[in-house]
Amino acid sequence: MKEFQNIDKRMPYTEREDYVEQLISQTTERTISLSKRRTTTLRKYRITAIAAAVTALLVIAGLSVVNTPAEQPVAQSQEVVSPIDEFLNSISDEEAQLLASYTIETVPEYSLDNTY
């Protein structure tokens, strides 16, 4: 077994210089094109999100206008005086007292004993 200090310090594989340069240039180009594509895609998503938000706001505003109740005309109350009220307003206080204590003796048609 080799000891650690005696291990060779060089890489086990070697690449040619032109291959490494070509690999770096291809990677750089691909990264730039992906970055441009990603920027374009993000821009499309932002525009779509803004358009959706504006559409949602317009729909909500439209629904709030549609659901707002129109001003209903207020019904005017008419003072109606019933005939009983007219009669009670036309009598004096003494006559009202007599009405409050008015009693009927017996009505012959409705009495319990049927003797006439």
Side-chain angles (χ1 to χ4, degrees), residues 86-100:
E86 284 180 12
F87 171 73
L88 291 174
N89 288 334
S90 68
I91 62 173
S92 66
D93 290 339
E94 290 133 7
E95 291 172 332
Q97 286 284 338
L98 289 173
L99 281 177

Side-chain angles (χ1 to χ4, degrees), residues 1-18:
M1 184 179 234
K2 289 185 176 181
E3 289 193 26
F4 189 71
Q5 286 88 11
N6 294 336
I7 293 179
D8 232 355
K9 300 286 181 179
R10 63 189 173 122
M11 298 294 284
Y13 304 104
T14 59
E15 286 83 22
R16 296 185 323 242
E17 278 296 317
D18 59 338

